[in-house]
Amino acid sequence: MNSSKKDRLMDWIKNGDPNDIPVMFGPGFYLAASFLDKKPEEVTWKEAVEAAEITGTHNVGFVHGYYHLPYSKMVAAMTEDISVKEEWLKSDAGIPCLVRVINTPKGALKEVIEYPDDKGYSNREFMVKSDKELPALYYLMRKVSEKTMKDPSVQEAIEQEMQEVMQAVNGNFPTAIHVFCGAFELMSSHFMDQQTGIYLLYDYEDEMQQMMEWHWNMTKVCLDIAFKNDIDFYNY
């Protein structure tokens, strides 16, 4: 039977033997990049599909993640008093780093993300290091949540980004969206490390719970858009 990678993976998810698990290196273009001796950002979706066919592996096209919204340039551009600046630098060890600074009326949030060639990316510096950055994060979460829920132009931009991924994948891989609870998103890997998150939850319980609620409001908007566009599955 002539079927696409997507068809075969989705068929296994619904009917496959749990002892015969498909192999997927991803998401992303890391396997194709290694196979083609390219950098991941240089790989096209067409090349990713071809590499997956040759190697017998699978991939997934992840659409817009709602956890990106608070530091998305898209939302910042629609929020008059928040700006996002990004710059690529190299560490002392020569590792490429993305430096992102978010300016709010309550202060600036800065993170540094390392992208080594031999392993996945990781935060070298988180936006929130202590309670000094909490007012800025609180302001950011409130404004972006309100904008996402109430502004149709933001919702349209989110949907457009999803559709661009779907068009690029062109039915060759399933599409997916991450689904995480606000507590996980706030306190693990995106805004602060777990230790800082635990201390802040203990000392600022009301503020942390409010931000979790705002984060869930953004999540619901993105999930509704994903459902409307027939995203194949929801990744947790």
Side-chain angles (χ1 to χ4, degrees):
M1 181 179 69
N2 185 18
S3 59
S4 69
K5 278 284 183 184
K6 173 183 174 179
D7 294 334
R8 296 197 292 274
L9 182 58
M10 295 302 292
D11 180 66
W12 177 85
I13 291 173
K14 295 176 182 178
N15 308 303
D17 184 348
N19 295 312
D20 185 19
I21 302 174
V23 177
M24 182 179 75
F25 293 90
F29 294 152
Y30 295 104
L31 181 136
S34 177
F35 185 77
L36 299 168
D37 194 24
K38 289 185 174 184
K39 294 181 179 179
E41 59 269 22
E42 296 173 345
V43 177
T44 66
W45 273 110
K46 182 176 183 295
E47 291 173 329
V49 172
E50 292 174 351
E53 288 288 0
I54 294 171
T55 58
T57 59
H58 292 268
N59 207 328
V60 174
F62 275 97
V63 301
H64 195 294
Y66 59 86
Y67 51 85
H68 292 148
L69 289 176
Y71 48 87
S72 168
K73 286 186 175 181
M74 172 190 74
V75 176
M78 301 175 184
T79 308
E80 61 281 355
D81 54 1
I82 295 175
S83 64
V84 180
K85 180 181 179 182
E86 295 179 350
E87 182 180 13
W88 283 93
L89 301 173
K90 285 195 174 182
S91 68
D92 293 339
I95 299 174
C97 297
L98 174 62
V99 180
R100 179 184 290 119
V101 179
I102 303 176
N103 291 295
T104 80
K106 299 296 183 180
L109 299 166
K110 176 187 175 185
E111 69 173 345
V112 180
I113 307 172
E114 290 187 335
Y115 289 82
D117 292 332
D118 58 345
K119 57 183 178 181
Y121 69 87
S122 62
N123 277 72
R124 180 174 156 190
E125 181 179 333
F126 286 95
M127 293 184 192
V128 178
K129 292 86 172 171
S130 69
D131 58 357
K132 292 180 180 179
E133 289 84 22
L134 192 60
L137 181 63
Y138 192 84
Y139 186 90
L140 174 69
M141 296 298 293
R142 178 176 67 82
K143 290 298 291 285
V144 174
S145 177
E146 291 175 353
K147 197 77 173 174
T148 303
M149 292 181 63
K150 299 177 181 179
D151 191 336
S153 63
V154 173
Q155 298 167 18
E156 290 169 4
I158 294 171
E159 183 168 25
Q160 181 179 346
E161 287 195 6
M162 287 189 185
Q163 292 174 349
E164 287 173 357
V165 173
M166 295 171 68
Q167 291 170 4
V169 172
N170 195 29
N172 289 291
F173 295 130
T175 52
I177 184 172
H178 281 294
V179 182
F180 288 126
C181 63
F184 181 90
E185 291 300 336
L186 282 174
M187 300 168 60
S188 176
S189 79
H190 289 303
F191 302 99
M192 62 190 77
D193 61 25
Q194 293 181 1
Q195 179 178 341
T196 302
I198 291 170
Y199 279 116
L200 290 179
L201 184 60
Y202 184 83
D203 293 333
Y204 301 92
E205 181 178 350
D206 291 343
E207 290 85 350
M208 293 292 284
Q209 288 186 347
Q210 179 62 73
M211 287 192 291
M212 292 175 196
E213 182 177 342
W214 287 332
H215 208 286
W216 174 238
N217 290 338
M218 289 187 284
T219 303
K220 288 189 291 185
V221 171
C222 290
L223 291 179
D224 286 343
I225 297 172
F227 181 78
K228 173 185 172 184
N229 284 274
D230 296 323
I231 298 304
D232 293 305
F233 58 87
Y234 300 80
N235 178 69
Y236 180 81

